[in-house]
C-alpha cells in the first residue's frame, strides 16, 4: 500500500465516524474522539480531560513506514512513545490496518480488521442481561440479599445465627472472587506489555515484576562465603527441629526459647449448601414468576443491576478466610 492512498482512505474512514464515536488507545486505554479531519492532520479531543490535540500527517506516515518496512509488516506497540498511542488507534480505522492487543502489535493485513472503537453505554443497555453461570454470582446474590435484611451499621445488634450466616457467605464470596480474579489476572497478564497502567471504567492495572529468592543448599552457601573470607559461625543459625528436640529433654519452658504470640480467630467450619441453594432458587423464582411491572420484581432487578457495583466492596478482604484478633503471650 502507498502511504498517500492509505492516508486518504484513513481520512474517509475518520469522516464517516459518528460525532459521539469514542476510540481508545491500545495500551493505556485512554478514550478520545475525532473532532475534525483535515488534509494534513486529524484533530482529536480526549474524553476524560479538557484537551484537544492535532495528529500530524507526517507522524502517521512515520508509523505507517515502520509497519510497512518490517518483514512481518507489523510493529510492536511497546516501541511506541507514550504520546504516540492515538496514532495507532486512529490507524485501526483503516480497513487494512489492525491493532492486535493480545500480542501487542499494529499490523497491515488483507483480512477483515477491527477498530479501537469503544463500546457505548447505549449498546450495553440494548444487550439482554443474562445470569452468568458463575459461583461468584450466586454467592454474591445471596450475600446482597442478606445484607439488605440486616442493619450492618451495628453488627452487635444482630443475632448470632444471622452473623454466622453472614460470615459464611462473606467467606464464600471471597473464595469464589479470588478464584475468578486469578483467572482474569492470567488473561490480563498476556495482554499487558510494559509497565504503563491500563485503565478501565472503574480502575487501572499494571504489569509488575516481583522477585523471590531462596538460599541454595547449605554447603554451597557456606563454602562460597568462607572463600570470600566470612567465618562459618557468622552465617550458621539454630536449627528449629534441633531446638525442639533439646526442649523435649530439658526442664526449659517453651517461652524460654520462643517468643509466643497467641491468636484467636473465627473459622468457617461448615456450609449448608442445601439451604443456600433453596434461598438462591427462591430469589431466582421470584424474578422469573412475577410480572415484569410488579414493584417487587422491579426492586429485585434494580438490586441485581447494582450488584456489580457492590462486588468490589463485598470482596475487599485479605486472602485469608478468617478474621483474626491478636494477643501476645509470654
Amino acid at each position: 500500500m502507498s502511504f498517500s492512498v492509505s492516508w486518504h482512505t484513513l481520512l474517509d474512514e475518520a469522516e464517516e465516524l459518528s460525532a459521539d464515536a469514542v476510540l481508545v488507545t491500545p495500551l493505556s486505554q485512554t478514550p478520545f474522539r475525532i473532532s475534525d479531519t483535515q488534509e494534513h492532520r486529524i484533530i482529536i479531543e480526549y474524553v476524560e480531560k479538557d484537551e484537544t490535540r492535532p495528529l500530524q500527517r507526517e507522524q502517521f506516515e512515520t508509523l505507517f513506514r515502520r509497519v510497512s518496512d518490517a518483514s512481518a509488516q507489523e510493529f510492536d506497540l511497546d516501541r511506541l512513545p507514550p504520546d504516540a498511542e492515538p496514532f495507532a488507534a486512529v490507524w485501526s480505522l483503516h480497513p487494512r490496518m489492525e491493532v492486535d492487543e493480545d500480542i501487542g502489535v499494529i499490523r497491515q493485513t488483507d483480512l477483515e480488521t477491527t477498530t479501537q472503537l469503544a463500546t457505548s453505554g447505549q449498546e450495553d443497555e440494548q444487550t439482554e442481561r443474562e445470569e452468568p453461570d458463575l459461583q461468584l454470582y450466586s454467592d454474591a446474590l445471596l450475600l446482597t440479599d442478606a445484607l439488605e435484611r440486616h442493619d450492618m451499621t451495628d453488627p452487635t445488634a444482630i443475632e448470632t445465627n444471622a452473623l454466622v450466616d453472614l460470615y459464611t457467605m462473606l467467606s464464600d464470596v471471597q473464595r469464589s472472587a479470588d478464584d475468578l480474579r486469578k483467572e482474569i489476572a492470567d488473561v490480563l497478564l498476556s495482554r499487558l506489555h510494559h509497565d504503563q497502567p491500563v485503565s478501565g471504567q472503574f480502575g487501572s492495572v499494571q504489569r509488575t515484576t516481583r522477585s523471590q529468592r531462596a538460599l541454595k543448599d547449605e554447603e554451597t552457601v557456606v563454602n562460597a562465603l568462607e572463600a570470600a573470607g566470612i567465618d562459618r559461625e557468622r552465617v550458621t543459625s539454630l536449627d528449629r527441629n534441633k531446638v525442639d528436640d533439646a526442649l523435649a529433654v530439658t526442664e526449659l519452658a517453651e517461652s524460654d526459647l520462643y517468643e509466643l504470640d497467641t491468636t484467636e480467630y473465627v473459622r468457617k467450619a461448615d456450609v449448608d449448601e442445601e439451604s443456600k441453594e433453596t434461598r438462591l432458587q427462591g430469589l431466582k423464582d421470584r424474578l422469573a414468576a412475577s410480572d415484569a411491572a410488579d414493584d417487587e420484581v422491579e426492586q429485585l432487578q434494580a438490586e441485581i443491576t447494582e450488584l456489580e457495583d457492590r462486588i468490589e466492596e463485598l470482596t475487599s478482604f485479605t486472602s485469608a478466610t478468617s478474621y483474626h484478633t491478636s494477643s501476645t503471650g509470654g
Side-chain angles (χ1 to χ4, degrees):
M1 298 188 293
S2 72
F3 171 73
S4 179
V5 173
S6 298
W7 170 248
H8 287 94
T9 300
L10 181 62
L11 290 179
D12 291 341
E13 295 290 340
E15 288 174 355
E16 291 180 5
L17 286 180
S18 62
D20 60 348
V22 176
L23 290 90
V24 290
T25 57
L27 298 177
S28 62
Q29 299 293 299
T30 302
F32 66 91
R33 294 185 178 91
I34 293 178
S35 59
D36 192 19
T37 57
Q38 301 172 6
E39 178 60 30
H40 297 292
R41 64 181 185 175
I42 293 175
I43 312 297
I44 67 170
E45 57 182 20
Y46 290 100
V47 173
E48 298 175 350
K49 53 185 176 181
D50 185 17
E51 179 184 340
T52 61
R53 179 185 171 193
L55 305 181
Q56 303 295 338
R57 170 178 168 149
E58 291 79 6
Q59 292 170 292
F60 279 102
E61 183 173 7
T62 297
L63 180 56
F64 178 86
R65 297 298 180 197
R66 290 184 176 181
V67 174
S68 300
D69 293 345
S71 57
Q73 291 196 314
E74 61 183 32
F75 183 78
D76 290 342
L77 296 172
D78 280 350
R79 297 172 59 190
L80 288 174
D83 61 348
E85 286 189 67
F87 292 92
V90 174
W91 262 125
S92 73
L93 296 173
H94 192 286
R96 292 293 178 264
M97 295 286 280
E98 176 186 37
V99 170
D100 189 334
E101 292 188 67
D102 288 341
I103 63 175
V105 300
I106 179 172
R107 66 164 69 94
Q108 289 186 15
T109 177
D110 292 330
L111 303 176
E112 182 179 355
T113 64
T114 58
T115 69
Q116 292 298 111
L117 284 174
T119 302
S120 69
Q122 184 177 6
E123 289 172 340
D124 290 341
E125 292 174 1
Q126 294 174 351
T127 302
E128 184 178 353
R129 296 177 63 90
E130 296 183 1
E131 177 185 322
D133 185 19
L134 291 172
Q135 184 62 43
L136 174 60
Y137 180 84
S138 299
D139 290 338
L141 183 59
L142 283 170
L143 179 58
T144 301
D145 175 65
L147 289 173
E148 291 178 346
R149 288 186 286 107
H150 299 288
D151 181 8
M152 298 307 301
T153 59
D154 183 16
T156 62
I158 302 177
E159 295 182 358
T160 300
N161 61 342
L163 287 175
V164 170
D165 288 341
L166 283 166
Y167 186 88
T168 300
M169 286 183 284
L170 285 166
S171 179
D172 289 344
V173 167
Q174 178 189 350
R175 184 186 63 250
S176 52
D178 280 345
D179 291 343
L180 181 58
R181 185 177 64 174
K182 176 62 168 60
E183 290 183 29
I184 293 173
D186 290 342
V187 176
L188 280 173
L189 193 60
S190 68
R191 299 182 181 180
L192 303 179
H193 305 291
H194 53 64
D195 290 338
Q196 186 172 358
V198 175
S199 299
Q201 182 178 358
F202 302 113
S204 61
V205 296
Q206 186 172 7
R207 184 176 187 139
T208 58
T209 302
R210 179 172 55 199
S211 298
Q212 296 178 329
R213 64 178 189 174
L215 280 174
K216 297 182 178 180
D217 64 272
E218 182 177 343
E219 182 179 359
T220 299
V221 173
V222 171
N223 288 341
L225 289 173
E226 284 186 330
I230 304 298
D231 292 338
R232 174 183 295 264
E233 289 74 12
R234 291 184 57 185
V235 294
T236 55
S237 61
L238 291 172
D239 186 311
R240 178 169 177 168
N241 291 330
K242 293 181 180 179
V243 171
D244 287 341
D245 291 341
L247 188 62
V249 297
T250 67
E251 295 182 358
L252 291 171
E254 189 177 20
S255 59
D256 292 330
L257 303 179
Y258 288 98
E259 294 290 343
L260 302 180
D261 183 37
T262 302
T263 301
E264 297 177 348
Y265 62 94
V266 175
R267 180 177 64 86
K268 185 178 69 175
D270 191 21
V271 177
D272 190 335
E273 296 291 351
E274 184 175 351
S275 294
K276 283 177 57 180
E277 184 61 33
T278 299
R279 178 62 182 170
L280 180 62
Q281 191 59 49
L283 292 172
K284 294 179 179 178
D285 290 345
R286 286 164 62 190
L287 283 175
S290 303
D291 185 84
D294 186 88
D295 290 341
E296 182 182 20
V297 173
E298 291 182 356
Q299 181 180 354
L300 284 171
Q301 288 174 331
E303 292 171 359
I304 293 176
T305 301
E306 296 170 2
L307 183 60
E308 294 176 349
D309 296 334
R310 300 185 182 186
I311 292 296
E312 182 175 357
E313 179 180 355
L314 298 179
T315 58
S316 58
F317 303 97
T318 60
S319 59
T321 58
S322 303
Y323 176 77
H324 293 256
T325 58
S326 180
S327 62
T328 302

